[in-house]
Amino acid sequence: VINGKAEDEFQVFVNINELLPKDIVKLTGITDEMLQEKGVSFQKAIHDMSEFVSDMNVVIYNASFDCAFLENAYRKYRISMMENHIVDALAFVRRRLRGFEDYKLATVAGYLDIKIVEQHRALSDCHLLYDVLSKLNEN
């Protein structure tokens, strides 16, 4: 997103070379076959992602969760963690909307009457987060 407009997008499947847990398949819709056919190594995925984001700020919803996941993967594959500035959109949403029992992205989107197409898929969640932040910035 540049100057408030979605300019480009990035998506990649990572072939983890092991079977996905059934609860992850059910949650995401991602299958072992998809990873075998379209997946790349973690090293290639992280390289391509780093090139894509370059030196831009990265906006993440509930950044502590995703960053912990990424840090573990970086450590496992002995790759230097990207040094982009991370903005946690969850903190912004909590400041703008108060009184929720939970602040899951789907809960917030539902409250804002934003249609959820697909959940727990990185690119779809990015689109959803963009819609949530755009709606909150209208006011």
Side-chain angles (χ1 to χ4, degrees), residues 80-94:
S80 298
M81 182 75 171
M82 54 191 256
E83 296 181 14
N84 298 64
H85 177 71
I86 304 292
V87 178
D88 191 349
L90 176 58
F92 171 75
V93 169
R94 285 184 177 190

Side-chain angles (χ1 to χ4, degrees), residues 2-3 16 35 52 60 76 87 91 95 97 110-111 121 123 131:
I2 300 173
N3 296 323
I16 59 172
L35 297 185
F52 178 79
I60 302 175
K76 177 180 177 181
V87 178
R95 283 193 306 272
L97 301 174
Y111 173 79
R121 295 283 290 273
L123 187 56
D131 291 344

Side-chain angles (χ1 to χ4, degrees), residues 55-107:
D55 61 351
M56 293 185 286
N57 293 336
V58 177
V59 179
I60 302 175
Y61 196 80
N62 193 9
S64 61
F65 175 83
D66 287 335
C67 287
F69 175 79
L70 284 172
E71 286 171 8
N72 286 334
Y74 278 100
R75 211 173 299 115
K76 177 180 177 181
Y77 293 103
R78 295 186 173 102
I79 299 172
S80 298
M81 182 75 171
M82 54 191 256
E83 296 181 14
N84 298 64
H85 177 71
I86 304 292
V87 178
D88 191 349
L90 176 58
F92 171 75
V93 169
R94 285 184 177 190
R95 283 193 306 272
R96 295 294 302 268
L97 301 174
R98 301 197 185 271
F100 283 88
E101 264 188 53
D102 74 68
Y103 282 87
K104 293 177 185 170
L105 186 56
T107 303

Side-chain angles (χ1 to χ4, degrees), residues 8 34-35 51 54 67 89 121 125 131 139:
D8 202 356
M34 292 167 74
L35 297 185
E51 278 192 358
S54 182
C67 287
R121 295 283 290 273
D125 284 353
D131 291 344
N139 302 331

